[in-house]
Amino acid sequence: MSQLLNLLDLDATGLASACAGWGERAFRARQLSRWVHQHGADDFDAMTDLAKSFRARLAQSATVRAPAVIRDHSSRDGTRKWLLDVGVGNAVEAVFIPEADRGTLCVSTQAGCAVNCRFCSTGKQGFSRNLSVSEIVGQLWLANRALGAYSQAAPGAAAGRARRPITNVVFMGMGEPLQNYAATLASLRVMLDDNAYGLSRRRVTVSTSGVVPMIDRLREDCPVALAVSLHAPNDALRDTLVPLNRKYPLAELMAACRRYLPAAPRDFITFEYVMLAGINDSDAQARELLACTDGVACKFNLIPFNPFPGSGLARPDDARISAFARILGDAGVVTTVRCTRGDDIDAACGQLAGEVRDRTRVAQRDPAFTTLLEAR
Ligand code: SAH
Ligand code: SF4
């Protein structure tokens, strides 16, 4: 079983070379891709327009396998989250957030995270491992299946796409996507591929804590929408909140953002800013933030901190968050405050994640999971 080639691990190039290896022409790879990603097929026998001999070959040498779902929770507001088994006691989550005009899937790229931001319990838990392409793309594949995206798909491989509940993907789950660059890049390529999910670059967002050289690589390889987790308006404070800042300080990060913009599919970068009471939420810091990001076309997304036990941090009150947002907005920068979604399954899911982790002696509940639930 373990030698089977998982087709969810392959982007178009990989699928083409696998097909070439099986003596199949290039268009077979595209057909196969449509079956897997647009019809959600995992049974080669159902791929009726492929030659029987090719189907038999596929059944022998390949598989279509996403991570196993440990728990599946639906919120009253339509938010849905899947806790996924990624082996050896590790679990990650994917979250679907429906809105009037779009449906967003938030995906994870690593089990744990090595960046170790002070306000993030994923970071506190340390780094476990990078997810593979099939574990990242598999989140989209299985969410589409669970959401009934494929139920209206016509059986013929050439048929058009079925109803699409997921219109947007954000890489804002567990992990730092740019520290798992190869798998993130291949996953992006699958998501954008017209023979797979066909998402537009504008509708796929990578969120990063600021891995400067990899922002440049992403610009060259696959410039999708970019969100940068800023959280502080100066190096002294950011060093303490996002330790990666010591390696890539703000001036370098802003320069990378300026280089990214001409290639970006949107004409702005989103700066995420977790609001921490008494730490980064003063009027003066809002003004300093404007100065620090001056010259970078941007929007601000303020994220009220989700507390977790032992963090020693707190969420500012609503009035403070509004005052901070108003200073940014009054300066002419579009500023949104992220609102919580999926409240009713929020705590339960965080606890479920905790349960699984407890088995591997990583005890704390993960607030990133609650962050995942929040609308962009
Ligand atoms: N590693 C990437 C993407 C995953 S984190 C990054 O840091 O950008 C996604 C977002 O959740 C980040 O903006 C992060 O700062 C935020 N986040 C993490 N812990 C949080 C918490 N306890 N409360 C609110 N937001 C949090
Ligand atoms: Fe990693 Fe992002 Fe959490 Fe920082 S905020 S520890 S980069 S997942």
Side-chain angles (χ1 to χ4, degrees):
M1 276 300 273
S2 57
Q3 286 118 318
L4 294 180
L5 181 64
N6 189 350
L7 300 188
L8 293 180
D9 270 316
L10 305 178
D11 61 10
T13 314
L15 207 52
S17 51
C19 284
W22 293 318
E24 297 290 336
R25 309 248 308 276
F27 77 95
R28 293 291 179 206
R30 295 193 286 275
Q31 265 180 313
L32 197 51
S33 177
R34 289 196 293 265
W35 274 114
V36 171
H37 300 293
Q38 295 181 3
H39 297 279
D42 56 358
D43 172 8
F44 298 118
D45 255 350
M47 304 182 182
T48 44
D49 58 352
L50 302 182
K52 265 208 152 126
S53 56
F54 183 30
R55 282 190 259 158
R57 168 60 82 96
L58 284 167
Q60 252 172 29
S61 24
T63 184
V64 180
R65 199 175 57 244
V69 176
I70 303 171
R71 303 275 157 82
D72 175 348
H73 276 255
S74 296
S75 156
R76 256 170 290 149
D77 69 11
T79 301
R80 189 152 165 194
K81 36 198 267 176
W82 297 272
L83 179 69
L84 306 171
D85 182 4
V86 291
V88 213
N90 288 307
V92 298
E93 285 198 347
V95 180
F96 174 66
I97 306 146
E99 289 170 277
D101 57 342
R102 66 185 164 203
T104 303
L105 186 73
C106 181
V107 298
S108 297
T109 54
Q110 299 181 313
C113 182
V115 179
N116 195 15
C117 299
R118 195 171 132 203
F119 50 82
C120 176
S121 158
T122 304
K124 295 274 155 286
Q125 291 167 2
F127 174 69
S128 186
R129 73 168 175 84
N130 281 330
L131 299 191
S132 65
V133 181
S134 58
E135 287 167 335
I136 300 172
V137 170
Q139 295 170 53
L140 181 53
W141 185 83
L142 72 82
N144 264 318
R145 275 171 58 119
L147 294 166
Y150 301 126
S151 57
Q152 294 162 21
R161 270 183 216 111
R163 187 178 66 85
R164 304 216 305 182
I166 298 169
T167 58
N168 294 49
V169 173
V170 294
F171 285 64
M172 293 184 186
M174 282 178 80
E176 169 48 58
L178 297 188
Q179 287 192 339
N180 181 13
Y181 187 73
T184 293
L185 178 63
S187 303
L188 288 170
R189 288 188 164 140
V190 176
M191 290 173 186
L192 301 183
D193 182 357
D194 278 338
N195 290 301
Y197 299 92
L199 294 172
S200 107
R201 286 173 194 282
R202 301 164 53 84
R203 291 175 172 273
V204 178
T205 302
V206 167
S207 175
T208 179
S209 54
V211 192
V212 164
M214 293 298 139
I215 293 176
D216 287 324
R217 288 276 299 276
L218 188 68
R219 182 194 76 226
E220 285 158 20
D221 293 336
C222 191
V224 292
L226 186 67
V228 173
S229 293
L230 221 47
H231 312 316
N234 59 58
D235 285 323
L237 180 58
R238 195 164 190 269
D239 280 353
T240 70
L241 296 178
V242 184
L244 192 66
N245 193 68
R246 289 179 212 136
K247 199 162 178 193
Y248 306 116
L250 279 167
E252 284 182 34
L253 182 54
M254 289 305 122
C257 290
R258 276 193 292 271
R259 288 192 295 274
Y260 196 87
L261 274 164
R266 293 171 176 248
D267 55 7
F268 61 89
I269 304 245
T270 301
F271 288 128
E272 294 162 283
Y273 194 97
V274 172
M275 299 292 296
L276 302 165
I279 292 188
N280 67 355
D281 63 342
S282 72
D283 289 356
Q285 284 163 320
R287 285 188 283 270
E288 201 181 353
L289 182 59
L290 286 165
C292 155
T293 55
D294 193 32
V296 182
C298 66
K299 291 185 179 178
F300 290 113
N301 189 210
L302 307 180
I303 314 172
F305 171 64
N306 289 309
F308 58 92
S311 73
L313 300 164
R315 177 190 290 205
D317 61 33
D318 289 351
R320 180 86 301 270
I321 295 174
S322 304
F324 193 92
R326 204 170 320 116
I327 293 171
L328 303 176
D330 285 351
V333 187
V334 173
T335 301
T336 50
V337 179
R338 199 175 288 190
C339 63
T340 302
R341 292 284 304 269
D343 264 352
D344 53 329
I345 57 167
D346 191 346
C349 258
Q351 283 152 7
L352 289 174
E355 253 174 51
V356 172
R357 286 205 180 72
D358 285 349
R359 273 189 241 132
T360 57
R361 315 184 55 146
V362 185
Q364 268 178 341
R365 174 175 180 272
D366 184 354
F369 291 163
T370 56
T371 301
L372 290 179
L373 279 177
E374 296 169 337
R376 200 170 61 87

